[in-house]
Coordinates of all heavy atoms in Angstrom, one line a residue:
Y186 N 150.5 108.5 170.5 CA 151.7 109.4 170.6 C 153.0 108.6 170.4 O 153.0 107.4 170.7 CB 151.7 110.2 171.9 CG 150.6 111.1 172.1 CD1 149.4 110.7 172.8 CD2 150.6 112.4 171.6 CE1 148.3 111.5 173.0 CE2 149.5 113.3 171.8 CZ 148.4 112.8 172.5 OH 147.3 113.7 172.7
M187 N 154.0 109.3 169.9 CA 155.3 108.6 169.7 C 156.4 109.4 170.5 O 156.3 110.6 170.6 CB 155.6 108.6 168.2 CG 156.9 107.8 167.9 SD 157.2 107.9 166.1 CE 155.7 107.1 165.4
D188 N 157.4 108.7 170.9 CA 158.5 109.3 171.6 C 159.0 110.5 170.8 O 159.3 110.5 169.7 CB 159.7 108.3 171.6 CG 160.9 108.7 172.5 OD1 161.3 109.9 172.4 OD2 161.4 107.9 173.2
G189 N 159.0 111.7 171.6 CA 159.4 112.9 170.9 C 160.8 113.0 170.5 O 161.2 113.9 169.6
G190 N 161.7 112.1 171.0 CA 163.1 112.2 170.6 C 163.4 112.0 169.2 O 164.4 112.5 168.7
G191 N 162.6 111.3 168.4 CA 162.8 111.1 167.0 C 162.7 112.3 166.2 O 163.2 112.4 165.1
F192 N 162.1 113.3 166.8 CA 161.8 114.6 166.1 C 162.6 115.8 166.7 O 162.9 116.8 166.1 CB 160.3 114.9 166.0 CG 159.6 113.8 165.3 CD1 159.1 112.7 166.1 CD2 159.4 113.7 164.0 CE1 158.4 111.7 165.5 CE2 158.7 112.7 163.4 CZ 158.2 111.7 164.1
N193 N 162.8 115.7 168.0 CA 163.5 116.8 168.7 C 164.0 116.2 170.0 O 163.4 116.4 171.1 CB 162.4 117.9 169.0 CG 163.1 119.1 169.5 OD1 164.3 119.2 169.8 ND2 162.3 120.2 169.8
N194 N 165.2 115.6 170.0 CA 165.7 114.9 171.2 C 166.5 115.9 172.1 O 166.8 115.5 173.2 CB 166.6 113.8 170.8 CG 166.7 112.7 171.9 OD1 165.7 112.5 172.6 ND2 167.8 112.1 172.0
V195 N 166.8 117.1 171.6 CA 167.5 118.1 172.5 C 166.7 119.4 172.3 O 167.1 120.3 171.6 CB 169.0 118.2 172.1 CG1 169.7 119.1 173.1 CG2 169.7 116.9 171.9
P196 N 165.6 119.5 173.0 CA 164.6 120.5 172.7 C 164.9 121.9 173.3 O 164.1 122.5 174.0 CB 163.3 120.0 173.2 CG 163.7 119.1 174.4 CD 165.0 118.5 174.0
I197 N 166.1 122.4 173.1 CA 166.5 123.7 173.6 C 165.6 124.8 173.1 O 165.4 125.8 173.8 CB 168.0 123.9 173.3 CG1 168.5 125.1 174.1 CG2 168.2 124.1 171.8 CD1 170.0 125.3 174.0
N198 N 165.1 124.6 171.9 CA 164.2 125.6 171.3 C 163.0 126.0 172.2 O 162.5 127.1 172.2 CB 163.7 125.2 169.9 CG 162.9 123.9 170.0 OD1 163.4 122.8 170.4 ND2 161.6 124.0 169.6
V199 N 162.5 125.0 173.0 CA 161.4 125.2 173.8 C 161.7 126.3 174.9 O 160.9 127.2 175.1 CB 160.9 123.9 174.5 CG1 159.8 124.2 175.5 CG2 160.5 122.9 173.4
L200 N 162.9 126.2 175.5 CA 163.3 127.2 176.5 C 163.6 128.5 175.8 O 163.3 129.6 176.4 CB 164.5 126.7 177.3 CG 164.2 125.4 178.2 CD1 165.4 125.1 179.0 CD2 163.0 125.6 179.0
L201 N 164.2 128.5 174.6 CA 164.4 129.7 173.9 C 163.1 130.4 173.6 O 163.0 131.7 173.7 CB 165.2 129.5 172.6 CG 166.6 128.9 172.8 CD1 167.2 128.6 171.5 CD2 167.5 129.9 173.6
D202 N 162.1 129.7 173.2 CA 160.8 130.2 172.9 C 160.2 130.9 174.2 O 159.3 131.8 174.1 CB 159.8 129.2 172.4 CG 160.2 128.7 171.0 OD1 161.0 129.4 170.3 OD2 159.7 127.6 170.6
H203 N 160.5 130.4 175.4 CA 160.0 130.9 176.6 C 161.0 131.9 177.2 O 160.9 132.2 178.4 CB 159.7 129.8 177.6 CG 158.4 129.1 177.2 ND1 158.4 128.0 176.3 CD2 157.1 129.2 177.6 CE1 157.2 127.6 176.2 NE2 156.4 128.3 177.0
E204 N 161.9 132.4 176.4 CA 162.8 133.5 176.7 C 163.8 133.2 177.9 O 164.1 134.1 178.7 CB 162.0 134.8 177.0 CG 161.2 135.2 175.8 CD 160.5 136.5 176.0 OE1 160.4 137.0 177.1 OE2 160.1 137.1 175.0
Y205 N 164.2 132.0 178.0 CA 165.3 131.7 179.0 C 166.6 132.2 178.5 O 166.9 132.1 177.3 CB 165.4 130.1 179.2 CG 164.3 129.6 180.2 CD1 163.0 129.5 179.8 CD2 164.7 129.2 181.4 CE1 162.0 129.0 180.7 CE2 163.8 128.7 182.3 CZ 162.4 128.6 182.0 OH 161.5 128.1 182.8
K206 N 167.4 132.8 179.4 CA 168.6 133.4 179.0 C 169.9 132.6 179.4 O 170.9 132.7 178.9 CB 168.8 134.8 179.6 CG 167.7 135.8 179.2 CD 167.7 136.0 177.7 CE 166.7 137.0 177.3 NZ 166.6 137.2 175.8
D207 N 169.7 131.7 180.4 CA 170.7 130.8 180.9 C 170.2 129.4 180.9 O 169.3 129.1 181.7 CB 171.2 131.3 182.3 CG 171.7 132.7 182.3 OD1 172.9 132.8 181.9 OD2 171.0 133.6 182.7
I208 N 170.9 128.6 180.1 CA 170.4 127.2 179.9 C 171.5 126.2 180.1 O 172.6 126.4 179.6 CB 169.8 127.1 178.4 CG1 168.6 128.0 178.3 CG2 169.4 125.7 178.1 CD1 168.2 128.1 176.8
I209 N 171.2 125.1 180.8 CA 172.1 124.0 180.9 C 171.5 122.8 180.2 O 170.4 122.4 180.5 CB 172.4 123.7 182.4 CG1 172.9 124.9 183.2 CG2 173.3 122.5 182.6 CD1 173.0 124.8 184.7
V210 N 172.3 122.2 179.3 CA 171.9 121.0 178.6 C 172.6 119.8 179.1 O 173.8 119.8 179.2 CB 172.2 121.2 177.1 CG1 171.7 120.0 176.3 CG2 171.6 122.5 176.5
I211 N 171.9 118.8 179.6 CA 172.5 117.6 180.0 C 172.4 116.6 178.9 O 171.3 116.1 178.7 CB 171.9 117.1 181.3 CG1 172.0 118.2 182.4 CG2 172.6 115.8 181.8 CD1 171.4 117.7 183.8
R212 N 173.5 116.2 178.3 CA 173.5 115.3 177.2 C 173.7 113.9 177.6 O 174.4 113.6 178.6 CB 174.7 115.6 176.2 CG 174.6 117.0 175.6 CD 173.3 117.2 174.7 NE 173.0 116.1 173.8 CZ 173.4 116.1 172.5 NH1 174.1 117.1 172.0 NH2 173.0 115.1 171.8
I213 N 173.0 113.0 177.0 CA 173.2 111.5 177.2 C 173.3 110.8 175.9 O 173.5 109.6 175.8 CB 172.1 110.9 178.1 CG1 170.7 111.2 177.5 CG2 172.2 111.4 179.5 CD1 169.6 110.5 178.3
Y214 N 173.2 111.5 174.8 CA 173.4 111.0 173.4 C 172.5 109.8 173.1 O 173.0 108.7 172.8 CB 174.9 110.6 173.2 CG 175.8 111.8 173.4 CD1 176.7 111.9 174.4 CD2 175.7 112.9 172.6 CE1 177.6 113.0 174.6 CE2 176.5 114.1 172.8 CZ 177.4 114.1 173.8 OH 178.2 115.2 174.0
G215 N 171.2 110.1 173.3 CA 170.2 109.0 173.0 C 169.9 109.0 171.5 O 170.5 109.8 170.7
W216 N 168.9 108.2 171.1 CA 168.5 108.1 169.8 C 167.6 109.2 169.4 O 166.7 109.6 170.2 CB 167.7 106.7 169.6 CG 167.1 106.6 168.3 CD1 167.6 106.1 167.1 CD2 165.7 106.9 168.0 NE1 166.7 106.1 166.1 CE2 165.5 106.7 166.6 CE3 164.7 107.5 168.7 CZ2 164.3 106.9 165.9 CZ3 163.4 107.7 168.1 CH2 163.3 107.4 166.7
G217 N 167.7 109.8 168.2 CA 166.8 110.8 167.8 C 167.5 112.0 167.1 O 168.7 112.0 167.0
F218 N 166.7 113.0 166.8 CA 167.2 114.2 166.0 C 167.7 115.2 167.0 O 166.9 115.7 167.9 CB 166.0 114.7 165.2 CG 166.4 116.0 164.4 CD1 167.5 116.0 163.6 CD2 165.7 117.2 164.6 CE1 167.9 117.1 162.9 CE2 166.1 118.3 163.9 CZ 167.2 118.3 163.1
D219 N 168.9 115.6 166.9 CA 169.5 116.6 167.7 C 169.2 118.0 167.2 O 169.9 118.6 166.4 CB 171.0 116.4 167.8 CG 171.7 117.4 168.7 OD1 171.1 118.3 169.2 OD2 173.0 117.3 168.9
K220 N 168.1 118.6 167.6 CA 167.6 119.8 167.1 C 168.5 121.0 167.5 O 168.5 122.0 166.8 CB 166.1 120.1 167.6 CG 165.4 121.1 166.7 CD 163.9 121.0 166.9 CE 163.1 121.7 165.9 NZ 161.6 121.5 166.0
E221 N 169.2 120.8 168.6 CA 170.1 121.9 169.0 C 171.1 122.3 167.9 O 171.5 123.5 167.8 CB 170.9 121.6 170.3 CG 171.7 122.7 170.8 CD 172.5 122.3 172.0 OE1 172.6 121.1 172.4 OE2 173.1 123.2 172.7
R222 N 171.5 121.4 167.1 CA 172.4 121.6 166.0 C 171.9 122.6 165.0 O 172.7 123.3 164.3 CB 172.8 120.3 165.3 CG 173.6 119.4 166.2 CD 174.1 118.2 165.4 NE 174.9 117.3 166.2 CZ 175.4 116.2 165.7 NH1 175.2 115.8 164.4 NH2 176.1 115.4 166.5
V223 N 170.6 122.7 164.8 CA 170.1 123.6 163.8 C 169.4 124.8 164.4 O 168.8 125.7 163.6 CB 169.1 122.8 162.9 CG1 169.8 121.7 162.2 CG2 167.9 122.3 163.7
V224 N 169.4 125.0 165.7 CA 168.7 126.1 166.3 C 169.7 127.2 166.5 O 170.9 127.0 167.0 CB 168.2 125.7 167.7 CG1 167.7 126.9 168.5 CG2 167.0 124.7 167.6
K225 N 169.3 128.4 166.1 CA 170.2 129.6 166.3 C 170.0 130.1 167.7 O 168.9 130.4 168.2 CB 169.8 130.7 165.3 CG 170.7 132.0 165.4 CD 170.3 133.0 164.4 CE 171.0 134.3 164.6 NZ 172.5 134.2 164.8
I226 N 171.2 130.2 168.4 CA 171.1 130.7 169.8 C 171.2 132.3 169.7 O 172.1 132.8 169.2 CB 172.3 130.2 170.6 CG1 172.4 128.7 170.6 CG2 172.2 130.7 172.0 CD1 171.2 128.0 171.1

Side-chain angles (χ1 to χ4, degrees):
Y186 297 91
M187 186 183 298
D188 189 315
F192 303 88
N193 188 359
N194 205 36
V195 190
I197 191 172
N198 60 297
V199 175
L200 295 187
L201 294 175
D202 290 344
H203 286 82
E204 300 184 345
Y205 278 72
K206 300 299 182 184
D207 296 280
I208 298 172
I209 300 170
V210 182
I211 302 180
R212 298 300 312 264
I213 53 176
Y214 302 115
W216 172 86
F218 177 57
D219 183 353
K220 202 164 194 174
E221 185 182 9
R222 292 185 177 182
V223 299
V224 170
K225 179 176 172 54
I226 306 299

